[in-house]
Amino acid sequence: MKVAIAAETRSGERRVALVPNLVSRLTGAGFEVAVEPGAGAAAHHSDDDYRAAGADVTPDAVSGAAALLGVQPPTEAQVDTLADHAVVISFLPPAQELGLVTTLRDANVSAFSMELVPRTSRAQSMDALSSQALVAGYRCAIVAAERLPRFFPLLMTAAGTVAPAKVLVLGAGVAGLQAIATARRLGAVVRAYDVRAAAAEEVRSVGAEFVELELPPLEGAGGYAREMTEDRAAKQLELLAPHVAEADALITTAAVPGRRAPLLVTREMVAAMRPGSVVVDLAAEQGGNVEGAVPGEEIAVGGVRVWGGANVPSQMPAQASQLYSTNVVNLLLHMASEGKLALDLDDDIVSGCCVTHDGKVHHAPTRELLS
């Protein structure tokens, strides 16, 4: 059975769905691995690396493949060349890709979305959202340190003492906690806030101070926060304002899956920060935690630089690809037996991330959108 890895075609995507050192896990399980030329180049993996690992590097990698592994969703042209009843595993946000979902359904392709892998202990090794959030959180802290025109750490010099930078992180999920830990390692004084009750202990566990706003927590499904009312949002903005104004660097990472990112910081709050301060908004592609943030661009609000994240994990393609590849391979092997796919939709992991199967839309929310 042939497993194909195509070169990513979407602008700015530098990751690859399978790195060479994981090819042996698939060939050892009885699969043939075919890779398009140049598929791993942006992640610093050459075609020779794949050949040495046991993969076939060929322009026809996708043609007739029984499984296609990708980072971004496949193109319709790729879907057309797959074998009958093929499987596709990639990031696939169904609500934003309804046309492609219809194509996958009509082509009788079983499509699995890495965004939909359940957040359970059984599926931890397949949780690509967490692995990529880890990369993004680290990158955000580095971006903030790079753009802030002052030192992060405390420095004792003959010319005097330089106080450490003050960093505020809003959102303490996987990305937020990694941003906190990285900023701390760089020597900054870090404070953080999250609407979830469990976040306070997590923030303190990585050495930061938790900002207490005396608001009731908002717990949602799967460890995420749930949406808040307009009154609660307005009160939160008011209480966060002085903490934002005090920060030298602000990093925002809050997201609610499938919905617009919550607005945590207004343009007026940014303008109240000291000149030279930096804002890094990881959620810019989901609408932004910071008013006015633009994905993939850096803008100025008064004397403050506001950096909007766009496909941030792809900015560190080597490590992001290694982690993502592990997630994808673990999911594929979870659905396989002796070199063949055995899709068990009674399994909560398989069913949970399945978008289309057997000529139907399996994912209920997407089915409702299409109807």
Side-chain angles (χ1 to χ4, degrees), residues 8 13-17 39 42-43 71-72 91 132 311 313-314 317 320-321:
E8 297 294 325
E13 184 55 71
R14 301 171 63 200
R15 291 170 291 180
V16 64
V71 180
Q72 297 293 338
F91 280 121
Q132 301 307 287
N311 196 0
S314 187
S321 296

Side-chain angles (χ1 to χ4, degrees), residues 77-89:
Q78 288 170 340
V79 173
D80 288 343
T81 65
L82 293 171
D84 292 338
H85 303 286
V87 166
V88 169
I89 300 176

